[in-house]
Amino acid sequence: MTVSKTSATIRYTAMRLGIFAGCFVVVAGLVQFGVLPKGLGDSNFIWVLLLAIVISAPLSFVLLRRQRDEMSAQIVGKVDSAKTRLEANRAQEDGVTQ
């Protein structure tokens, strides 16, 4: 099954946002129940946000390896085809000039 670059990118991004949202909910719950500290003063939201980012980044790196590789392979394929078209255009222009 071939998937276009756009859908692979959208799928990876959606999954990455999903992991972040899950981490955010878990961290917010842990802060609310007092398992994790609430931060300083009114910084509770920023504290929860930063903790969720720090936790979700390595999770995404490990859990989304296959999707990241698929997206990368599709992007490389598109870049290679663009380079091939560019070289073909250059060769055609060189043939017209000479």
Side-chain angles (χ1 to χ4, degrees):
M1 178 176 137
T2 59
V3 181
S4 71
K5 178 183 83 166
T6 304
S7 65
T9 304
I10 291 171
R11 183 176 56 229
Y12 174 75
T13 303
M15 292 174 88
R16 183 101 193 254
L17 286 172
I19 289 174
F20 170 74
C23 289
F24 185 82
V25 168
V26 169
V27 169
L30 291 174
V31 167
Q32 191 65 28
F33 290 118
V35 177
L36 293 173
K38 291 190 183 243
L40 300 172
D42 294 333
S43 68
N44 188 34
F45 178 75
I46 294 172
W47 170 249
V48 171
L49 187 69
L50 289 174
L51 279 177
I53 289 170
V54 167
I55 293 170
S56 70
L59 284 175
S60 295
F61 183 74
V62 173
L63 296 175
L64 300 180
R65 181 171 306 213
R66 193 183 97 226
Q67 287 79 13
R68 190 173 51 252
D69 290 343
E70 287 175 7
M71 183 177 67
S72 175
Q74 290 173 352
I75 289 171
V76 166
K78 289 287 188 180
V79 168
D80 287 344
S81 76
K83 283 182 182 178
T84 303
R85 283 194 314 267
L86 182 61
E87 286 301 319
N89 287 342
R90 283 185 183 159
Q92 187 179 26
E93 288 174 3
D94 289 344
V96 170
T97 322
Q98 295 176 356

